[in-house]
Amino acid sequence: MSLTDAAAALRAHGRIAVACHEAPDGDALGSLVGCGRSLRAAGWDVVLWAPGDAPLPADFAWLGYNDMVRSAPADLEQRLLLTLDCGSALRLGADGELAVARAATSVNIDHHADNTRFADVNEVDAGAACATVLCLRLLRLLEVPLDQPAAEALYVGIVTDTGRFMFSNTNAEAHAAAADLIVMGVEPDAVFRHLYEGKPAARVRLLARALTTLDVRANGRLAVACITLDDLEQTGADEADSEGVIDHLRAIRGVEIAAVIREPRAGGGTLKKVSMRSAQPHVDVARIAHAGGGGGHAMAAGFSMEGDFAHVIELIETEFTRA
Ligand code: 5GP
Ligand code: MN
């Protein structure tokens, strides 16, 4: 059983680097903070590595970013690398494969069905609602206690990855883990306020602009919206402010796939980043993401590619209607 192997590897290595995927979401950061800081408090020498150059999302800044490094630690050869919510080594960044090879040993804990099992020990459970419930399983096995901030961080992963306990990955373990974390001191309404209230006005302006680009295609089964660098410029919004747009598309009657295509600042206006959500259990967006060179889950997936919006939309529509 790989979770036992993961725990054994951690017991054998006092020095570790804990990493999540680049462009981290609530589950990635919740895992990094909740698992990484708990291991540190229990005596491990821990480096928290949040790969990438882009600023970490303001939405989760209350979890605390000051103890995180953005590139692989220089002494990685002496550390066990523990990756959380990371479907492939490339999700650690361009040097991700090198980092995995450099580490003294590696442990990969994840819930993406398309995980490439790139580490020495791989604990991949696609049935888990989020990576933070796997972190909770691991910490329990190691008998590592959680303080209130760590419990709150793990709770964030559950709330965000299940879409506030609404998506099809929501299961009994997600609710049971949430209940256990509440017993440890998590206040759901405080987390709700951190996550969903106090939005910057710029985000709402970006949403308004994005929704004007709504394009319903494939006989009403595909809804697409586009966000340009100019939209970010004109609204003063951050890249991360595009997050909620897709939920409005998925909620349209008859829509099976929602896609938001945006231009990352680092891409210079030619690169497009695609987020996709499925509205129907039988429609697998990971298949389309794979066709675009990306990955993810059946219900939520993404990819990046060079080209104009029309080209990207065509790829999505062709792959979708090909099935
Ligand atoms: P989001 O749309 O929120 O960025 O991502 C949804 C899901 O798709 C997440 O599970 C994320 O890990 C995955 N995903 C998004 N973009 C990419 C990508 O470029 N490559 C891979 N492999 N997975 C991605
Ligand atoms: Mn996740």
Side-chain angles (χ1 to χ4, degrees), residues 21-23 25 85-88 90-91 111-112 114 161 243 246 260 262 273-277 289-290 292-297 299-304:
H21 61 77
E22 59 179 351
D25 56 11
D85 198 33
C86 209
S88 72
L90 278 175
R91 297 284 284 152
H111 69 127
H112 291 88
D114 61 355
D161 256 28
E243 272 266 308
I246 202 160
V260 168
R262 64 180 180 87
K273 169 89 187 114
V274 180
S275 283
M276 291 181 293
R277 300 289 182 272
H290 290 144
H297 309 281
M299 302 301 288
F303 66 93
S304 295

Side-chain angles (χ1 to χ4, degrees), residues 217-238:
R217 311 168 70 94
N219 294 322
R221 294 159 62 215
L222 171 64
V224 183
C226 298
I227 297 172
T228 62
L229 283 178
D230 188 52
D231 291 328
L232 298 182
E233 196 74 23
Q234 296 297 321
T235 56
D238 282 343

